[in-house]
Amino acid sequence: EDASLFKFIANILEGDKERRILLILNLIENSRNAKLIPYLRNLLNHPSDDIKIQVLQMLPNFDYADFTKEVEPLVHDNTFEIRTAAIHYLFRKSRNGQQVLESLFNDSSNDVRTAVLMVAAHHYSHDKDFRRRLPFVQYFNTLIKEPEQSRG
């Protein structure tokens, strides 16, 4: 019976019906079943933003799996929520999250840099240790200093 239920879920996750996929993702959002990993990897390439966001939110359930290869391209996605969730994932998954944020903060895309600031702001508000390790506020302040007026 469990095998037929999983096959039913797998068929929906492999299908093309966005609403059904989202419903199944909502049902299994707290699952840690390793059999789901290949389906989640594939769904990170799904055309639906809602599906990608839902899957990105589920990835922390699978700390033993590495989705970095699939998530990295999403840092440059057109949707802010996807970019931000991808950066959150890469920050949490990396052994050196600070380096990940610093590297992405130097990205040529304003959209990526904005998403990095949102991730940093989230961690600043929840983790005092993060503030000490990653002085983004000071760095940000140096970026927005007014240019010195030329003397003439």
Side-chain angles (χ1 to χ4, degrees):
E1 186 176 322
D2 286 344
S4 64
L5 177 60
F6 186 82
K7 185 172 171 69
F8 172 76
I9 289 171
N11 285 338
I12 291 175
L13 294 176
E14 290 177 323
D16 59 357
K17 305 281 191 250
E18 180 179 351
R19 183 162 165 69
R20 287 183 185 178
I21 294 170
L22 284 168
L23 287 171
I24 291 297
L25 289 174
N26 284 329
L27 284 173
I28 63 172
E29 70 182 341
N30 294 316
S31 176
R32 298 184 191 295
N33 187 332
K35 290 181 184 178
L36 292 171
I37 291 173
Y39 301 97
L40 298 177
R41 284 189 199 285
N42 289 337
L43 288 172
L44 286 169
N45 293 313
H46 198 279
S48 165
D49 289 346
D50 291 335
I51 289 173
K52 287 187 274 194
I53 291 167
Q54 182 73 22
V55 171
L56 284 163
Q57 292 170 350
M58 291 175 65
L59 297 185
N61 295 346
F62 302 92
D63 11 343
Y64 52 87
D66 189 357
F67 295 89
T68 301
K69 187 177 95 179
E70 293 84 6
V71 171
E72 282 178 336
L74 298 178
V75 166
H76 292 94
D77 194 271
N78 291 329
T79 304
F80 176 77
E81 291 82 4
I82 292 173
R83 282 193 307 273
T84 305
I87 293 167
H88 265 290
Y89 175 81
L90 296 172
F91 170 76
R92 286 189 305 253
K93 191 65 178 178
S94 172
R95 290 179 183 221
N96 190 346
Q98 176 177 343
Q99 185 179 3
V100 168
L101 292 184
E102 287 173 352
S103 170
L104 290 171
F105 198 68
N106 291 318
D107 193 275
S108 62
S109 165
N110 284 333
D111 291 337
V112 171
R113 291 195 305 271
T114 301
V116 170
L117 284 175
M118 293 302 107
V119 171
H122 169 81
H123 288 284
Y124 259 76
S125 65
H126 292 93
D127 182 356
K128 290 180 183 176
D129 195 41
F130 179 85
R131 294 178 209 172
R132 197 170 17 82
R133 287 190 332 264
L134 192 60
F136 255 104
V137 171
Q138 292 88 338
Y139 184 58
F140 183 67
N141 286 339
T142 64
L143 295 176
I144 59 171
K145 276 187 180 176
E146 290 186 41
E148 291 185 31
Q149 293 181 355
S150 48
R151 297 179 183 162

